[in-house]
Amino acid sequence: MSVALTASRVSHSFGAARALDDVSVNVTAGGAVALVGESGSGKTTLLRCFNRMVEPHKGEILMDGSNVLEQEPSALRRRLGYVQQQGGLLPHWTVSQNVGLVLRAMDRADSRAVDDAIALVGLDPRVHGPRFPRELSGGQRQRVALARALAAGPQAILLDEPFGALDAITRGEVQSAFQRVHRELGLTILLVTHDLAEAARLATRIVVMRAGRVEQQGSMAELRDSPATDYVRALLASATAQFEALQTA
Amino acid sequence: MSPRVILLLFFAAGTATAQTRGATARANVVVASKPFGESYLLAEMFAQMLEARGITVTRRPGLGATEVAFGALRTNAIDVYPEYTGTGLIAILHDTLPGPAAKDARAVYSYVSRRFAELYGVRWLPPLGFENTYAIAVRRETATSLRLTTLSDLARESPALTAGFTADFIGRPDGLAGLEREYGLRPRAVRPLAPALKYQALAARAVDVIDGYSTDGLLARHDFVTLVDDKRFFPPYQAAALVSPRLARRPDAIAALIPLSGRLDETMMRELNRRVEVDHEDVAVVARSALDQLGLSGSEGQTGRAAGAPGRGRPGFLEYLASRRAVILAQTLRHILLVAAALGAAMLVAIPLGLLIERARPAAEGTLGALGVIQTIPSIALLAFMIPIFGIGFVPALVALWLYALYPIARGTYTGVRGADHDAVEAAEALGTTPIQRLLWVRLPLATPVIMAGVRTAAVITVGAATLAAFIGAGGLGEPIVEGLALADTRLVLTGAIPAALLAVLVDAVLGVVERLVRPAHLRRR
């Protein structure tokens, strides 16, 4: 069911501002890759190239080897789940309606699949299903956004800082739920985050981006053992310093 | 708003238009008047004389002012209305006659009849027999203390005086502007007044000088002094029936109207006007008795007014309302029809337009700005613009009201859709919804509170503006308001004003319920 996602020599600019500069990234089927970098590094732009929310000026985006431009955008997007930082739930729809959005868009309403997706992210379809988003906590809302991305059985899932706006404890809980889902479904995952620790926890492969270019990509161990640039070294050092501060306090 | 409701409104509008057209086609002769007592009365006499000859008549009383009435006549939207030769000469032809001819009633009549026939194909029937010139009037005490007998005297004292003139008089070349030029009249202030209110305003010392009509019933009622036009500035104002090009080709109608020519003198006219303006007798009743007196009433024909009590022994207000209930109901229904059709049509255009310009942002402010400019056109002017294009009656009023309703609805739609939860719209897009699905599921539902606010604003504006539609013969609750104001008949005004006010409240309340029904679900639950 899962697909491999590939960005091959992708460049893109918004007006004069260069957002992506000759970027190549590969996510194997069922793999989990994190794009890490500060704001403006191009990580979100790259993520949005995969579901054609951005169409790069140069290079190719491939899904199992075939160019995504060959697919009609809405059809492509229904095969790729998507979760954004603020959740983007429809405020006037209940949790069940929100989770059923993609199925409904495909004219394939399926309340069973909706309930299963709600349960999968650790919520109760009977309790939480009829509620409106504003009646939920922030963590519950992100779980619903995750369930919505999963309900129609996507082949990969794109996440844009999905846990960035949550407090630390809630973030930990939702991350655990996410890990469980990943284990159970074995989906291909591409995750954008500015948090190296989150990347280390949720992804097997890390792509460090800066100013539209890839600084280094590899496993966490590879990054730690042989950082390719000063920027990667500094990024690691800052994450380590935080960890040490906890230990020595 | 559900598609069914919109369809219903559209259907209603269509039916109304069809009915209006049908009525115009059946009723051959459209008799109109300008909005003051004498004009109503003469028009009603014309109508009854036509009906006595078995000619079907549609009444369009109280048309805006000279421009509206004449504009309608020359385009055959109406067929006949009472006009005055001096008005024809100066306000319509923008002309003057040289030397003594300017003051010669016959010379003016033959000149205007020749020019009107040449320029517009419009025919002046022979004069009715009386003149109704401007009578510049002051309170007797003012005249005594300032020694005023002539307009030259008035001009001398004018810097200390406040004038209350009708809008028509202020704007006309044979009105204030001419007095300024001929006499050097420069009042300290000029207050525009409704024709029916000017006598009360003068009596109550709110103003010091007014423009009356020499045959006015109200002029004789107060202790006022009419000043002599010592420089003979005002031309003769002989009253006559002015006939449209279409009616001029109908000998039967002309033959029906001609017998009134030369039969009305000033004394009789002043007495008839008094009965209408002071005693508040019903116009149709007074017209009938005048024709009886002249031996001109036929055997058949209806009065054309469903209700109306004679002035003497006036019933209480509730009885009066009860006696007019059929008319009030018909006018209210017509008003509702006008408002609903204009509002429905405006929603059909303005909501899609609001959505469209939201997609093409650079064009948005320009488009909304253009619609906003329409709002700044005074209603009466906008209604007058419609006459050359659509004539008079229901259709031009509908178009004018529709234009007024566009802006609030388009602005509401644009603002509402633009402000709709950006994250929700983007997430829906990234999850593979089509543009139509996003519009129907996300953007429109989230925008409904703002759109409905625009619709409610438009509705209340339309209910109010629709009362002015009476000026171009669209009927509705403005008709008794315009007529009542013209005749200084407060009760008649109230039979239009009270239902109109109630209607505004009701429409807002009904739309409030609609708004609650279409409100996004998460805002509905408490």
Side-chain angles (χ1 to χ4, degrees):
Chain A
M1 277 298 280
S2 316
V3 288
L5 297 174
T6 309
S8 171
R9 309 207 59 178
V10 168
S11 295
H12 188 74
S13 43
F14 296 107
R18 174 139 272 206
L20 293 174
D21 186 4
D22 198 21
V23 172
S24 296
V25 167
N26 186 44
V27 192
T28 55
V33 170
L35 304 174
V36 183
E38 59 207 21
S39 328
S41 62
K43 57 191 193 301
T44 293
T45 304
L46 180 62
L47 184 82
R48 290 160 66 89
C49 287
F50 284 93
N51 61 4
R52 290 189 65 178
M53 292 291 281
V54 172
E55 291 187 357
H57 297 148
K58 274 193 203 158
E60 285 184 326
I61 302 289
L62 306 171
M63 199 166 148
D64 268 351
S66 68
N67 196 318
V68 293
L69 294 177
E70 288 162 16
Q71 291 193 51
E72 200 269 316
S74 56
L76 170 72
R77 290 168 192 162
R78 288 166 191 170
R79 296 174 62 194
L80 299 169
Y82 183 80
V83 181
Q84 69 198 49
Q85 180 169 2
Q86 296 300 338
L89 298 179
L90 311 192
H92 58 304
W93 280 14
T94 62
V95 166
S96 295
Q97 287 174 312
N98 264 288
V99 173
L101 174 70
V102 184
L103 289 164
R104 187 171 163 189
M106 296 157 76
D107 234 349
R108 251 180 48 199
D110 182 350
S111 62
R112 180 86 177 272
V114 168
D115 286 355
D116 287 350
I118 294 173
L120 190 65
V121 296
L123 296 175
D124 183 338
R126 274 169 308 169
V127 176
H128 300 104
R131 294 197 186 161
F132 285 103
R134 70 168 188 184
E135 297 169 315
L136 303 178
S137 69
Q140 287 172 328
R141 279 203 285 269
Q142 287 307 106
R143 287 173 195 255
V144 174
L146 187 57
R148 180 173 67 174
L150 296 169
Q155 294 168 314
I157 185 163
L158 309 173
L159 303 103
D160 188 3
E161 307 236 15
F163 316 121
L166 303 178
D167 66 83
I169 294 174
T170 309
R171 191 187 314 150
E173 287 168 3
V174 182
Q175 283 172 342
S176 304
F178 175 78
Q179 282 180 303
R180 196 181 66 246
V181 168
H182 184 208
R183 271 198 309 277
E184 285 182 26
L185 301 178
L187 283 173
T188 308
I189 283 168
L190 187 58
L191 167 79
V192 162
T193 178
H194 61 267
D195 178 357
L196 199 59
E198 180 169 273
R201 182 169 177 191
L202 300 180
T204 48
R205 199 173 156 76
I206 292 164
V207 179
V208 179
M209 294 187 67
R210 189 183 181 213
R213 300 185 69 92
V214 173
E215 291 275 316
Q216 185 174 6
Q217 51 183 311
S219 67
M220 192 64 214
E222 284 166 3
L223 260 60
R224 189 186 56 223
D225 296 343
S226 47
T229 66
D230 290 344
Y231 179 72
V232 176
R233 203 168 290 122
L235 197 65
L236 286 161
S238 113
T240 312
Q242 280 183 14
F243 182 70
E244 280 172 357
L246 274 178
Q247 304 256 299
T248 56
Chain B
M1 175 142 299
S2 83
R4 218 180 330 159
V5 175
I6 292 170
L7 271 180
L8 204 68
L9 288 174
F10 209 52
F11 176 73
T15 317
T17 313
Q19 277 173 355
T20 312
R21 288 229 183 83
T24 321
R26 268 198 317 279
N28 284 340
V29 178
V30 183
V31 179
S33 78
K34 291 199 272 186
F36 58 90
E38 183 171 286
S39 198
Y40 281 105
L41 186 55
L42 292 173
E44 181 58 29
M45 288 165 79
F46 296 165
Q48 290 186 13
M49 291 182 74
L50 289 164
E51 284 170 343
R53 292 287 190 98
I55 296 168
T56 321
V57 167
T58 302
R59 289 171 172 79
R60 294 251 188 268
L63 294 187
T66 304
E67 295 75 24
V68 176
F70 184 70
L73 188 84
R74 61 186 285 202
T75 55
N76 294 311
I78 60 172
D79 289 312
V80 57
Y81 81 94
E83 190 49 283
Y84 303 88
T85 53
T87 306
L89 179 68
I90 295 174
I92 298 175
L93 292 175
H94 300 288
D95 209 346
T96 46
L97 291 183
K103 313 303 171 195
D104 179 355
R106 277 193 195 172
V108 171
Y109 175 80
S110 57
Y111 181 74
V112 294
S113 20
R114 184 164 56 81
R115 292 296 288 155
F116 272 60
E118 286 167 7
L119 291 172
Y120 314 113
V122 164
R123 182 167 166 197
W124 287 82
L125 295 191
L128 295 168
F130 70 95
E131 278 193 39
N132 181 3
T133 188
Y134 280 109
I136 306 302
V138 294
R139 285 182 300 278
R140 183 167 299 283
E141 53 176 72
T142 315
T144 311
S145 66
L146 297 175
R147 290 198 198 81
L148 307 179
T149 52
T150 64
L151 289 179
S152 296
D153 298 338
L154 179 70
R156 187 189 66 224
E157 303 293 341
S158 63
L161 300 173
T162 300
F165 291 147
T166 53
D168 206 29
F169 188 78
I170 293 171
R172 289 166 61 144
D174 55 340
L176 180 59
L179 289 183
E180 222 174 277
R181 202 179 52 244
E182 282 296 310
Y183 285 100
L185 184 81
R186 278 182 187 74
R188 189 179 56 196
V190 176
R191 304 243 160 84
L193 289 178
L197 301 179
K198 58 194 180 188
Y199 299 100
Q200 285 161 266
L202 182 59
R205 301 167 174 279
V207 296
D208 303 311
V209 51
I210 60 167
D211 61 309
Y213 302 130
S214 59
T215 53
D216 266 358
L218 287 159
L219 193 56
R221 192 187 182 196
H222 298 282
D223 194 17
F224 295 156
V225 172
T226 309
L227 301 172
V228 177
D229 179 15
D230 53 321
K231 293 193 181 171
R232 305 206 53 180
F233 161 69
F234 291 117
Y237 291 90
Q238 285 190 296
L242 198 55
V243 169
S244 71
R246 187 179 62 167
L247 197 70
R249 290 191 294 272
R250 276 193 53 177
D252 62 327
I254 301 299
L257 291 169
I258 287 263
L260 197 57
S261 291
R263 298 297 305 277
L264 297 168
D265 61 23
E266 260 124 82
T267 317
M268 181 176 183
M269 206 60 227
R270 206 172 290 133
E271 168 61 15
L272 294 174
N273 286 339
R274 189 190 55 73
R275 287 173 62 186
V276 170
E277 293 174 342
V278 181
D279 300 341
H280 298 302
E281 277 190 69
D282 190 84
V283 171
V285 173
V286 177
R288 177 150 305 278
S289 80
L291 293 178
D292 283 341
Q293 203 181 321
L294 295 168
L296 292 174
S297 56
S299 49
E300 53 168 331
Q302 68 258 37
T303 60
R305 267 154 221 273
R312 276 165 268 285
R314 300 174 84 194
F317 185 57
L318 288 179
E319 282 170 71
Y320 175 73
L321 281 183
S323 75
R324 292 189 61 93
R325 64 180 183 276
V327 180
I328 295 172
L329 183 67
Q331 284 164 342
T332 305
L333 287 178
R334 191 163 174 89
H335 205 84
I336 292 173
L337 193 63
L338 199 55
V339 170
L343 203 61
M347 287 171 70
L348 283 182
V349 172
I351 293 177
L353 182 69
L355 297 173
L356 198 70
I357 58 180
E358 198 276 330
R359 302 266 71 178
R361 297 265 174 98
E365 286 306 322
T367 309
L368 288 172
L371 293 180
V373 166
I374 296 175
Q375 296 285 309
T376 66
I377 303 173
S379 324
I380 198 76
L382 186 62
L383 289 165
F385 290 155
M386 294 295 141
I387 295 173
I389 312 166
F390 299 107
I392 63 161
F394 192 87
V395 175
L398 180 63
V399 175
L401 294 175
W402 173 77
L403 282 171
Y404 274 122
L406 288 177
Y407 176 77
I409 302 177
R411 168 66 79 180
T413 306
Y414 173 70
T415 310
V417 173
R418 191 181 173 185
D421 191 331
H422 178 78
D423 288 328
V425 175
E426 202 197 59
E429 184 179 2
L431 285 163
T433 54
T434 62
I436 291 291
Q437 288 170 341
R438 281 199 294 288
L439 182 68
L440 296 179
W441 297 352
V442 191
R443 292 150 58 86
L444 266 185
L446 291 179
T448 46
V450 190
I451 296 176
M452 280 306 296
V455 171
R456 281 172 81 166
T457 307
V460 174
I461 290 175
T462 309
V463 171
T467 57
L468 292 168
F471 279 123
I472 57 169
L477 292 167
E479 208 170 287
I481 296 176
V482 169
E483 187 174 340
L485 285 175
L487 303 179
D489 186 343
T490 312
R491 299 198 307 179
L492 191 56
V493 172
L494 290 178
T495 66
I498 292 173
L502 291 177
L503 193 60
V505 173
L506 183 73
V507 164
D508 194 48
V510 167
L511 288 175
V513 172
V514 174
E515 182 178 346
R516 222 163 301 143
L517 293 177
V518 300
R519 190 180 287 173
H522 67 297
L523 300 176
R524 231 176 288 159
R525 201 184 273 188
R526 288 280 149 223

